[in-house]
Amino acid sequence: MDDHQPIISEIAILAKDDPKFTEKCLVLANDIQSNKYPILQLVQDLGPLLTNSTVDDREKERLNDHHQVVPAVIKGLTPLISSKNIPEGLSTQLISSLFQHVPCQQQQQHDRYNIYQFIKAMLDKRKEELKAMGLDAVYGVISAIDSERDPRNLLFLFKWLPNFLTTMELGQLTEEMFDVISCYFPVDFRPSVQEGGTVTRQDLADALCPCLCAIPSFAESCILLALEKFESELYVAKLDSLDLLITGCKNFPHDIYKQHSSTIWPLIQKEVFSSKDRDDKELENKCLDALISILRKLSIDTEFSKQITKDMIDTLKRNIEPNAILFIPSTKLIRNIAQASPQIAEIVFKEISPLLINMYTITTTPLHKAIILQYLVGITIIYLTLNSGLNSEGVENLEIVSNICLKAVIDTDAQIRAAGICSFSNLAPFVSPMFRNYFYDHLSVLIVLKQEVIVREAIIASLRKYGTLYDVEIQNILSNVRTNNGLESLELYLEAIGAVVCIPQLSSFSLSILVRNLFLNLDVSVIAARILKNRLDEEEVTISRHLNENENIVEKIVDYFIENINNLNGERFYDYLNCIAKILMIVLRYTEDIQEIIVSKELEKIQSVISHDLTIFILFGLLTSLKLYSNIVIDVNLLCDMVIETKSLYISSIGSQLIGNIVNKTVDENSLCNCLNCIESKCNSILSRNQQINNGINLVTCTTKALAVRGSPLVFPWANKLIDLSSNLLNAAKVFQTILDDGDDYLHPKSFCKRTVLYKQRFFSEISGYLVSNYEDGKEHYLVILGYLIRNVPQQILRLELKKIIRLILLCLGRCEEVEVLLAILTAINVVIESKDPIAEDYIQEFLKYYSKLATFDRSMKVRILALQGIQLYSRYPLYKLLPLKQDVLLTLSKCLDDKKRLVRKEAVEARSKWFLIDAPI
């Protein structure tokens, strides 16, 4: 006491807004926290102040005497009742005092929040004491939360109110409690900037719903409220009402739904029927979910659920014709009704399936037959899924539907045939072995017959479905398929084999067949290579490891290539060679520690045919997936010669990509400089001779991109070389779009290439800056280069540089005639205009001038459309900016009304309407 008495004395004479007052209080608080100053001693020392008749002195310690102390005391209540040492009954006194002396809704937002936290703490820590208070506690909570408007507080309240409602007996206050909560339904709330937007309307709606459905005694009021709001025109009110109906199924008695079922069903039916004209299906899906939940609840009463199900089916039966206007929504309703329970599914199946079977039999239109069949099978699957233990009647029904599907499989019409195969595939988990064998007999024939696309897709899907469930059976079928009708049937067979590669149980079997065919005659090898490459694109890791470990695929491909290199002449084999190069590249990514050993061995073999320019493909496959720190020495000089001297632009492109890959992954700076010097020397040589110029451009482009992607400062001299070439060669300008394109495999991180995160931003910034700084009349190719750069640059990067390049963009719109460039710039600038970027407003006059000109650009319809769309977007800008330009714009648009293309006229009409009405009275 001796140490702290002086501090207590000082506090007594200090004003509470004096900084020293806070300072002294902190000293006491720290000492209490460190056990240097017992709390009991503090109370004794404060004795004179606690009993002081002067409010200004006493308010520092008392709860009820003055409003200024209430917030601090409320804040301390929650940790106080959490203490294990609090005497029994004290927490009840505290909350009673709070309810009696502190009007909650008169406090500040954060103080109300603290009160709610205290009540929640009582509910969590002192539940029995709270229950003992009975209706006093209920009334206190009602009074505290009544008229709360802050969304943060409401969200907090809604999260713990269900617990409170299920804990307390509401008794005669049930109606009052429901009224206090239901006043917020449906939630109509838009976050304000002041609140930070942390609470959304959906957050509040999701939290409120469990409160209204928390206890059975709310059932009648809640259902009536939901039905009332569901009939309103407010979209969110409908959604929230359906949520109430769904959530209520958990706690409300089924009698309440039984009582209101005659009202609920017509409302849901009406909403689903009207949703056929809406693109947004959220409300429709919510209606269907509500229907399932309610019927599931009603299925407790077997007789009633049976009767109401039949009534609903009778209502919908009249629409079960494919050409009926309400066919689709009616079928959706029936399918969802069937999902409610096994009993209801059986009723629906018995009521609907005979109708559908009869309709399928008498319908002559193939499309309608296909729709009916798919719908029949859908209903059957629901019935079979919910009724796992089929009785004899169920087995008989399944056989009837299976027979119909089998007949459809061999129908002469493609639509019916495809529907039959898809339907039988969907029935796969339920079909008996006998019917499966019938289906396999048809399938083994169809696999090798040329079919329409929809039928072929159905066959592939069915193989995957049955292969997943019955792998042994599908393996037997595919093993016994006969391909006696030449190359076309073999290709179809291999496609079927490729379809089941992704099934683990069939992977080894199917891959062995593909690999075997990969090394037969060249015609077959071309087919097998394409299919295997496509499967690798879908599932790299598993297939690659299997091919390497079990098939020795790399060695086999290289040996086969060397053996057949003289038979691979002609561009018709380029796709094949590209496929085997990609196969090698992907497989070698996953060879782990033995990668260098494999590649070194195959490179030695390839030396025997290294002079042949087709060898570029195999080198590409072997080298592009080498790891960054590979010890394999690559002769870049030889590669450059092969790339430059070849007469095939395609081979030159593949070789240039390989060199780009090497440049990107060369770690040592000296080695990189030597490599670049070699490439530069070769490029200068061919460009100076003015021969095979496109080969040189390919090599410069891939080298530039490789340096840009790795973030090397050496990229800019190479980019400048391309800029100089563009003055005479349009192809050199076009390559700038590829530098910012992410679609190239040869620089992909999967191939262990080095890729810096912001390389696009850096490259675009530097090159666009160079173009702006050095542009002058006569350098029109600068405008073309900028357009091709913009084509693939991300919008965020463009926005950062827009102010710097705006002059060149405007010049490009005014002078450039290249359609691709104009499309790229118009597309990018329209996004800027739509977002109302300040720079679009600053240059509104210039943009509208050039857009008006391009609206009549005769070389491209797409350019005209984009220009007109941009003019439309400008109609939403401030009126004072638009009025001076209105007449000129309308004059231009009137010319576009006679455009020869309908789509252009459509855009012109819309743009003219918007501009005509910009100053019309609202």
Side-chain angles (χ1 to χ4, degrees):
M1 178 176 177
D2 293 337
D3 294 338
H4 298 91
Q5 188 61 51
I7 299 176
I8 299 293
S9 301
E10 288 186 59
I11 288 175
I13 62 175
L14 289 171
K16 65 178 180 294
D17 54 355
D18 191 321
K20 290 184 179 181
F21 178 84
T22 304
E23 188 180 312
K24 299 298 181 183
C25 289
L26 285 173
V27 172
L28 290 177
N30 291 332
D31 285 351
I32 292 170
Q33 190 173 15
S34 60
N35 295 324
K36 294 179 181 178
Y37 191 28
I39 192 74
L40 180 60
Q41 190 65 54
L42 171 66
V43 175
Q44 291 175 352
D45 291 347
L46 290 173
L49 295 175
L50 290 169
T51 57
N52 199 306
S53 60
T54 304
V55 170
D56 287 338
D57 290 332
R58 194 173 67 248
E59 70 173 359
K60 299 168 189 169
E61 292 79 27
R62 296 291 299 278
L63 170 64
N64 304 323
D65 291 340
H66 200 269
H67 66 88
Q68 293 180 349
V69 81
V70 169
V73 175
I74 292 171
K75 192 173 181 180
L77 287 176
T78 301
L80 182 61
I81 68 159
S82 301
S83 172
K84 296 179 181 179
N85 299 319
I86 187 171
E88 187 175 349
L90 181 58
S91 56
T92 303
Q93 295 176 33
L94 288 173
I95 195 168
S96 297
S97 179
L98 181 70
F99 288 152
Q100 182 178 357
H101 299 292
V102 182
C104 181
Q105 292 306 313
Q106 294 179 19
Q107 311 304 312
Q108 296 293 322
Q109 180 269 328
H110 60 275
D111 295 328
R112 300 199 304 276
Y113 184 83
N114 287 333
I115 292 173
Y116 301 145
Q117 275 194 316
F118 173 60
I119 300 172
K120 181 181 181 297
M122 281 286 297
L123 186 64
D124 295 338
K125 307 285 186 182
R126 311 283 171 179
K127 182 176 288 188
E128 292 305 317
E129 294 182 44
L130 192 64
K131 287 174 69 175
M133 292 178 64
L135 293 180
D136 289 341
V138 176
Y139 183 76
V141 170
I142 291 174
S143 301
I145 68 176
D146 192 15
S147 304
E148 176 61 61
R149 298 183 62 83
D150 186 86
R152 293 160 293 182
N153 287 352
L154 285 171
L155 185 61
F156 179 71
L157 277 171
F158 294 159
K159 286 180 178 178
W160 60 262
L161 269 177
N163 185 20
F164 178 83
L165 295 170
T166 53
T167 300
M168 305 297 295
E169 290 290 339
L170 302 186
Q172 65 213 41
L173 296 177
T174 301
E175 188 176 343
E176 286 81 357
M177 178 62 81
F178 184 82
D179 289 343
V180 167
I181 302 172
S182 63
C183 69
Y184 301 105
F185 185 88
V187 176
D188 185 13
F189 166 71
R190 292 176 181 81
S192 66
V193 178
Q194 291 80 7
E195 291 158 0
T198 55
V199 179
T200 65
R201 192 213 78 86
Q202 195 58 48
D203 291 335
L204 290 169
D206 291 342
L208 174 61
C209 186
C211 299
L212 294 170
C213 302
I215 51 177
S217 54
F218 281 177
E220 181 68 27
S221 301
C222 186
I223 297 297
L224 289 174
L225 176 67
L227 294 177
E228 177 191 346
K229 300 303 180 184
F230 188 66
E231 292 187 80
S232 72
E233 296 300 319
L234 188 63
Y235 184 78
V236 295
K238 292 178 181 291
L239 289 174
D240 290 354
S241 298
L242 290 166
D243 279 330
L244 275 190
L245 293 173
I246 294 169
T247 308
C249 291
K250 298 176 183 177
N251 297 321
F252 296 163
H254 80 279
D255 287 341
I256 195 70
Y257 286 99
K258 181 178 177 180
Q259 178 184 341
H260 293 282
S261 59
S262 59
T263 305
I264 295 173
W265 163 240
L267 290 174
I268 290 178
Q269 182 187 24
K270 176 186 174 183
E271 202 59 53
V272 173
F273 281 174
S274 62
S275 68
K276 68 183 178 64
D277 300 321
R278 288 197 299 262
D279 293 331
D280 182 14
K281 297 300 180 184
E282 183 183 8
L283 182 56
E284 177 189 302
N285 294 334
K286 189 77 75 174
C287 286
L288 297 174
D289 291 342
L291 182 62
I292 293 173
S293 298
I294 294 168
L295 284 173
R296 195 168 288 156
K297 186 75 175 179
L298 290 172
S299 62
I300 297 172
D301 187 333
T302 306
E303 288 303 318
F304 181 79
S305 65
K306 182 177 180 180
Q307 185 58 49
I308 193 173
T309 300
K310 287 186 175 181
D311 290 344
M312 288 189 288
I313 296 301
D314 289 340
T315 306
L316 298 169
K317 271 183 180 179
R318 70 192 73 166
N319 300 321
I320 307 302
E321 292 184 13
N323 56 351
I325 296 174
L326 297 175
F327 173 77
I328 292 177
S330 294
T331 54
K332 285 181 180 178
L333 283 167
I334 292 175
R335 288 183 65 130
N336 281 271
I337 289 170
Q339 292 176 42
S341 71
Q343 177 196 356
I344 291 175
E346 186 174 359
I347 295 169
V348 172
F349 183 76
K350 288 180 178 179
E351 292 285 329
I352 293 296
S353 58
L355 177 66
L356 292 173
I357 292 170
N358 182 60
M359 194 177 300
Y360 179 82
T361 304
I362 63 175
T363 300
T364 57
T365 308
L367 176 60
H368 290 173
K369 287 180 82 75
I371 292 172
I372 294 168
L373 179 60
Q374 289 172 339
Y375 181 53
L376 171 63
V377 170
I379 291 292
T380 306
I381 289 171
I382 294 171
Y383 165 60
L384 294 172
T385 303
L386 294 179
N387 294 273
S388 53
L390 290 180
N391 53 29
S392 58
E393 186 180 5
V395 172
E396 185 180 345
N397 290 329
L398 176 58
E399 289 180 354
I400 293 171
V401 175
S402 299
N403 264 318
I404 293 173
C405 291
L406 281 175
K407 290 179 181 178
V409 167
I410 56 175
D411 197 276
T412 55
D413 184 83
Q415 285 182 319
I416 299 175
R417 200 157 61 249
I421 296 170
C422 288
S423 298
F424 212 91
S425 298
N426 293 332
L427 285 170
F430 312 101
V431 178
S432 66
M434 180 182 70
F435 278 96
R436 289 205 302 274
N437 288 330
Y438 291 154
F439 179 61
Y440 295 154
D441 290 342
H442 296 318
L443 197 61
S444 60
V445 175
L446 293 173
I447 283 173
V448 292
L449 291 179
K450 188 172 179 59
Q451 305 281 336
E452 293 80 356
V453 175
I454 56 171
V455 179
R456 193 68 197 167
E457 289 174 350
I459 291 170
I460 297 301
S462 68
L463 282 171
R464 288 176 173 166
K465 185 68 174 284
Y466 277 87
T468 303
L469 297 172
Y470 312 105
D471 53 285
V472 176
E473 296 175 2
I474 292 299
Q475 183 171 330
N476 290 335
I477 293 168
L478 292 174
S479 299
N480 296 316
V481 168
R482 297 184 178 182
T483 56
N484 299 326
N485 297 325
L487 200 62
E488 184 179 69
S489 66
L490 179 60
E491 181 176 3
L492 296 171
Y493 171 68
L494 291 178
E495 283 181 358
I497 291 293
V500 299
V501 165
C502 56
I503 301 172
Q505 305 94 311
L506 296 173
S507 180
S508 179
F509 159 76
S510 53
L511 285 173
S512 64
I513 294 177
L514 285 175
V515 171
R516 186 166 67 246
N517 283 273
L518 186 61
F519 304 113
L520 295 177
N521 63 71
L522 270 176
D523 291 333
V524 177
S525 183
V526 168
I527 297 168
R530 173 177 53 80
I531 294 170
L532 183 57
K533 184 258 179 186
N534 290 339
R535 297 291 80 79
L536 275 167
D537 286 339
E538 294 174 2
E539 178 52 59
E540 285 191 7
V541 181
T542 306
I543 298 177
S544 295
R545 286 183 174 151
H546 176 88
L547 290 173
N548 183 60
E549 294 169 6
N550 300 297
E551 301 291 348
N552 198 16
I553 190 72
V554 175
E555 182 177 354
K556 287 180 180 178
I557 286 177
V558 173
D559 291 344
Y560 187 79
F561 171 78
I562 293 172
E563 181 184 340
N564 292 276
I565 191 168
N566 293 323
N567 299 321
L568 293 171
N569 295 321
E571 293 185 5
R572 70 189 185 96
F573 288 110
Y574 284 177
D575 283 342
Y576 164 67
L577 291 167
N578 189 51
C579 284
I580 63 172
K582 293 294 177 66
I583 292 171
L584 289 172
M585 178 184 72
I586 294 172
V587 170
L588 284 168
R589 287 174 184 169
Y590 304 98
T591 49
E592 279 87 29
D593 297 336
I594 61 171
Q595 185 189 66
E596 286 191 21
I597 298 172
I598 295 173
V599 173
S600 297
K601 178 182 176 183
E602 302 310 319
L603 283 177
E604 286 182 18
K605 291 181 184 177
I606 213 74
Q607 295 303 313
S608 61
V609 291
I610 197 69
S611 60
H612 202 300
D613 58 0
L614 292 181
T615 310
I616 283 286
F617 289 98
I618 299 299
L619 290 174
F620 180 91
L622 291 173
L623 299 176
T624 45
S625 288
L626 279 177
K627 293 179 181 176
L628 199 61
Y629 301 101
S630 172
N631 294 314
I632 294 176
V633 178
I634 302 168
D635 189 346
V636 177
N637 187 61
L638 174 62
L639 288 176
C640 288
D641 286 338
M642 295 174 73
V643 167
I644 287 173
E645 299 302 329
T646 182
K647 294 181 180 179
S648 167
L649 189 59
Y650 188 81
I651 294 176
S652 169
S653 175
I654 296 295
S656 298
Q657 291 178 15
L658 173 58
I659 292 172
N661 176 277
I662 295 167
V663 168
N664 180 274
K665 292 192 288 193
T666 301
V667 178
D668 182 69
E669 289 297 324
N670 291 330
S671 300
L672 178 61
C673 289
N674 292 335
C675 179
L676 292 175
N677 289 336
C678 175
I679 296 170
E680 185 176 19
S681 173
K682 298 292 183 181
C683 289
N684 289 340
S685 171
I686 192 172
L687 292 172
S688 63
R689 296 201 312 263
N690 220 15
Q691 297 175 346
Q692 309 294 97
I693 290 177
N694 286 330
N695 291 359
I697 291 174
N698 274 339
L699 188 50
V700 175
T701 301
C702 291
T703 303
T704 305
K705 179 164 186 175
L707 292 169
V709 169
R710 70 178 282 167
S712 172
L714 299 174
V715 66
F716 300 111
W718 288 84
N720 290 340
K721 186 186 291 290
L722 282 174
I723 292 173
D724 293 340
L725 288 170
S726 301
S727 59
N728 297 316
L729 301 168
L730 179 61
N731 286 346
K734 284 185 177 181
V735 301
F736 277 92
Q737 66 183 328
T738 66
I739 294 175
L740 297 181
D741 183 18
D742 286 328
D744 294 319
D745 283 340
Y746 74 97
L747 292 175
H748 200 281
K750 285 185 178 179
S751 295
F752 309 102
C753 290
K754 184 178 179 182
R755 181 183 289 255
T756 53
V757 178
L758 298 176
Y759 89 88
K760 288 187 178 183
Q761 181 173 343
R762 183 182 179 192
F763 186 82
F764 183 78
S765 178
E766 292 286 344
I767 300 303
S768 61
Y770 177 87
L771 297 174
V772 170
S773 301
N774 295 277
Y775 176 79
E776 56 188 35
D777 287 342
K779 293 185 176 180
E780 307 305 321
H781 59 289
Y782 279 27
L783 306 178
V784 177
I785 291 171
L786 181 64
Y788 282 117
L789 278 172
I790 287 174
R791 185 172 189 175
N792 282 329
V793 72
Q795 186 69 209
Q796 300 93 323
I797 298 174
L798 178 63
R799 297 286 183 91
L800 292 173
E801 305 294 332
L802 192 55
K803 190 171 183 180
K804 179 176 72 177
I805 63 175
I806 189 67
R807 183 174 69 92
L808 287 193
I809 287 178
L810 292 170
L811 285 172
C812 191
L813 291 173
R815 299 181 182 181
C816 186
E817 294 289 321
E818 288 295 322
V819 172
E820 289 184 22
V821 173
L822 290 172
L823 289 174
I825 292 180
L826 288 169
T827 302
I829 296 301
N830 280 359
V831 176
V832 175
I833 296 171
E834 186 174 16
S835 65
K836 295 192 175 182
D837 192 287
I839 202 165
E841 186 172 332
D842 293 342
Y843 287 87
I844 185 172
Q845 186 170 354
E846 291 83 353
F847 275 125
L848 283 173
K849 170 186 172 184
Y850 294 121
Y851 270 55
S852 296
K853 173 190 169 186
L854 292 173
T856 56
F857 186 74
D858 58 358
R859 291 180 55 192
S860 170
M861 175 188 75
K862 292 182 179 179
V863 169
R864 299 199 298 277
I865 289 174
L866 284 173
L868 289 167
Q869 288 173 346
I871 294 173
Q872 285 182 47
L873 292 170
Y874 262 129
S875 67
R876 297 182 295 179
Y877 275 61
L879 184 60
Y880 74 93
K881 290 271 188 179
L882 302 180
L883 280 177
L885 309 168
K886 178 179 177 181
Q887 293 306 317
D888 291 338
V889 171
L890 288 175
L891 182 62
T892 300
L893 293 174
S894 64
K895 299 176 184 176
C896 300
L897 295 176
D898 296 325
D899 195 280
K900 58 186 177 182
K901 295 292 185 180
R902 180 185 62 82
L903 293 177
V904 178
R905 296 196 300 272
K906 174 177 172 290
E907 296 294 341
V909 168
E910 190 168 346
R912 190 170 185 273
S913 299
K914 289 181 178 179
W915 272 83
F916 190 81
L917 297 171
I918 58 173
D919 55 345
I922 298 176

